[in-house]
Amino acid sequence: MAETRPLVPVVTIDGPSGSGKGTISRRVADQLGWHLLDSGALYRLVALAGLDRGLDPESVAAHAALAETMRVSFGADAAGAERVNLEGQDVTARIRLEEVGQGASRVAAWPPVRAALLERQRRFAEPPGLVADGRDMGTVVFPGAVLKIFLTASAEERAARRHKQLKDKGSAVSLAALSREIAERDLRDSTRAVAPLRPAEDALIIDSTGLSVAAVVERVLELGRQRSLWS
Ligand code: DC
């Protein structure tokens, strides 16, 4: 269903895996004091819920039903770190597992799953504003967004960033294996029939290769200032 212009301002930040969307979106949301939608986490939650319930990994209908009914909540712990709950269980660490990411990419290619998550995602648009991070935030979920960013980085840099993130968490995954997985996932996300990964026509493209997080955040904030979205 087409979305009318959202009543609250929405900034969309789309891009491929490892482009730094998650970190940038969180920092921009913090700076503005706006809400954050990590839409990838919702796809990860569908995949994880399916695994936990022992669903047939090929059953589209069963995953779409889960996408509709699963009970999820996003919050922060006392130190301000993100906490994600699924059916009352803290799954913050589990949704980030590589196998869950792969599962998310598979279920995300199924139109009924995407349709089931559409309204759920739009409900995150609450005052004073929302920063929405994903693949189709600017093209499908929030086409009326006031600012649309498409964040990219070279495939090598994205694999290296992911490698460092996983290493910091104690996972020993080879850089070569990660590069392969990122390439596979990029291909699947950008060639799927429904909501493929591509910039919205009115998106502004930022290539973060070689840029610091702070520099990218500043660029996004500056783009908003230029458009008088904030001061
Ligand atoms: O950003 P991420 O790695 O957490 O996303 C997990 C998967 O979900 C990714 O392979 C693509 C998919 N996804 C999507 O199709 N649409 C979104 N808006 C967000 C994520």
Side-chain angles (χ1 to χ4, degrees):
M1 206 177 54
E3 170 236 35
T4 49
R5 180 165 280 274
L7 296 174
V8 293
V10 177
V11 171
T12 58
I13 304 187
D14 290 306
S17 311
S19 59
K21 283 175 295 127
T23 309
I24 303 299
S25 300
R26 187 172 310 281
R27 298 262 181 109
V28 170
D30 283 351
Q31 291 263 338
L32 296 173
W34 287 13
H35 299 280
L36 176 71
L37 165 62
D38 172 1
S39 61
L42 289 174
Y43 289 94
R44 288 170 179 271
L45 284 160
V46 173
L48 181 62
L51 281 173
D52 282 356
R53 300 225 182 154
L55 291 191
D56 172 355
E58 299 305 324
S59 172
V60 177
H63 284 87
L66 266 187
E68 192 122 350
T69 57
M70 63 183 184
R71 279 190 308 121
V72 305
S73 68
F74 294 86
D77 64 17
E82 179 201 41
R83 302 310 317 173
V84 183
N85 260 264
L86 170 65
E87 306 297 345
Q89 303 273 331
D90 185 331
V91 293
T92 314
R94 290 181 69 213
I95 60 164
R96 300 295 160 201
L97 293 172
E98 207 49 33
E99 66 170 297
V100 175
Q102 291 293 330
S105 175
R106 273 182 344 98
V107 303
W110 296 335
V113 169
R114 303 199 73 85
L117 289 182
L118 193 58
E119 281 310 313
R120 219 182 241 266
Q121 293 175 91
R122 289 181 178 161
R123 283 199 294 272
F124 280 77
E126 295 254 23
L130 176 72
V131 177
D133 151 9
R135 304 292 194 290
D136 62 341
M137 298 296 99
T139 49
V140 176
V141 183
F142 299 108
V146 293
L147 178 64
K148 299 180 184 179
I149 305 290
F150 192 84
L151 197 60
T152 63
S154 69
E156 296 75 32
E157 179 142 340
R158 290 187 287 122
R161 286 179 190 167
R162 198 66 149 208
H163 187 242
K164 180 171 181 306
Q165 256 176 11
L166 291 172
K167 222 168 91 185
D168 290 349
K169 285 187 198 157
S171 294
V173 183
S174 83
L175 185 57
L178 265 179
S179 299
R180 255 196 322 274
E181 277 170 24
I182 283 192
E184 268 171 33
R185 200 187 307 181
D186 278 358
L187 186 69
R188 189 160 46 210
D189 291 344
S190 56
T191 56
R192 69 179 174 223
V194 58
L197 173 66
R198 62 174 174 81
E201 271 173 25
D202 48 350
L204 303 163
I205 297 178
I206 299 179
D207 183 344
S208 71
T209 310
L211 291 182
S212 67
V213 168
V216 178
V217 169
E218 183 43 37
R219 195 165 291 187
V220 174
L221 292 174
E222 178 55 26
L223 288 167
R225 272 183 231 117
Q226 286 168 5
R227 285 160 182 73
S228 305
L229 299 176
W230 48 75
S231 46

